[in-house]
Amino acid sequence: MSDKLKILFLCTGNSCRSQMAEGFARADRGDAIEAYSAGVEKHGVNPLAVAVMAEAGVDISGQASKRVEELPDVAFDYVVTLCGSAHDLCPFFPGPVKKVHAPFEDPPALAADAASEEEALARYREVRDAIRAFVAGLPQSLEEKS
């Protein structure tokens, strides 16, 4: 039996934000957190998210985009919604799970009008760094938001 907090990071397509949060939680907080990610839809892992995470020293290239229904049967301690859509469409989780809304900007939307790939990557890096700071503060940052 693990004493680690079981946290599900949830966003719309499980392609960027939730993948980044899972990656940082596993890499930087794996001693205290058992991290999962999913989406209310499945869009595939975004290659630019993979690239900026690799720059930060975290390999998420082996992670897969999945829907909540595809997760193993886990009694989550927290479900963290990372965008408004996931917050609005968050499915019911039985038991004493705490739901926390911690919204972050959508990297593809931020990069949509980028004039170059470097400019697009800069937008992804901004979100990546904000997510890393949030994850670094876990679990305290969850209590502050609940």
Side-chain angles (χ1 to χ4, degrees):
M1 183 111 179
S2 173
D3 288 337
K4 295 180 182 183
L5 281 178
K6 293 171 186 64
I7 300 176
L8 170 61
F9 297 101
L10 186 66
C11 67
T12 304
N14 192 218
S15 64
C16 285
R17 292 166 283 188
S18 54
Q19 293 289 347
M20 289 178 183
E22 178 186 3
F24 281 131
R26 289 177 183 265
D28 298 345
R29 301 293 317 204
D31 59 327
I33 295 170
E34 189 175 317
Y36 299 84
S37 71
V40 294
E41 301 169 5
K42 184 161 70 171
H43 294 171
V45 180
N46 184 296
L48 294 180
V50 172
V52 299
M53 289 297 288
E55 291 174 359
V58 179
D59 181 7
I60 64 168
S61 64
Q63 291 179 195
S65 180
K66 60 208 144 312
R67 294 179 45 154
V68 172
E69 297 83 4
E70 297 174 59
L71 292 171
D73 188 20
V74 174
F76 294 109
D77 297 298
Y78 288 93
V79 173
V80 181
T81 55
L82 301 173
C83 67
S85 175
H87 179 67
D88 294 343
L89 300 172
C90 186
F92 172 76
F93 290 90
V97 64
K98 294 180 184 177
K99 293 179 188 168
V100 177
H101 186 52
F104 292 92
E105 295 286 335
D106 180 34
L110 289 174
D113 63 350
S116 66
E117 183 172 327
E118 184 54 39
E119 190 178 326
L121 287 168
R123 300 297 186 328
Y124 277 75
R125 289 180 190 114
E126 291 168 14
V127 176
R128 175 203 65 198
D129 294 346
I131 290 172
R132 183 172 227 169
F134 172 74
V135 170
L138 295 175
Q140 296 82 1
S141 53
L142 294 174
E143 291 301 326
E144 293 166 6
K145 291 191 174 285
S146 27

